[in-house]
Each structure stands twice: as structure tokens, then as C-alpha cells.
Amino acid sequence: DKEKKFIQNSIKLEANDIIYFMTDGLFKELEEKYHYKKEDRLNFISKLSQAPIEQQKTLTINNLHSFNTTQTDDILFIGIRI
């Protein structure tokens, strides 16, 4: 058995920073069907982070629905403001 190697990184967070955790399901299908690239994801998350936290869920759902596609993968998207 090969032992997996992990790298530990540290990030200094400050007040009002936002951390997003997500599965690949939010973007995987969009990449395959619509060529939704890494830059597109980063632009979306950058714009999302500027919106009030209360509106981010709606913006995320609207973004996904704008592609008019059927969900075929799990979707988990969590934002935490420090």
C-alpha cells in the first residue's frame, strides 16, 4: 500500500474574510456541457463574495439555474464569514 502524503498549509484569516467550501458538483457539469472554466468559477466566487452573505445563496442558485441543466451530481456550497 502506498501511503498518501499531505501538505499542511496555514492561512491567516482576518475579520470579514469569507471561506468557501464546495464539492465539484457545482461546476463539474457546467465544465463538461458549457466549458465553464476555472477563470469563470473564480470570477463567480469573486463577485459572490462582494454580495451580502444573505443574498449569496440566491445568487448561487440563480447562477446554476441560468444554465438550464439537470442536476446530475451532488452540490454542496458553504460560505463562512469570519
Side-chain angles (χ1 to χ4, degrees), residues 1-34:
D1 291 307
K2 289 187 177 183
E3 188 174 318
K4 293 185 178 183
K5 295 183 181 185
F6 295 92
I7 298 171
Q8 182 174 341
N9 292 308
S10 298
I11 300 171
K12 183 175 179 167
L13 300 173
E14 298 181 11
N16 291 319
D17 283 350
I18 301 175
I19 303 172
Y20 294 103
F21 300 93
M22 65 194 81
T23 59
D24 66 345
L26 183 60
F27 301 111
K28 184 177 177 182
E29 185 171 323
L30 300 179
E31 287 174 356
E32 293 171 1
K33 290 183 179 178
Y34 301 100

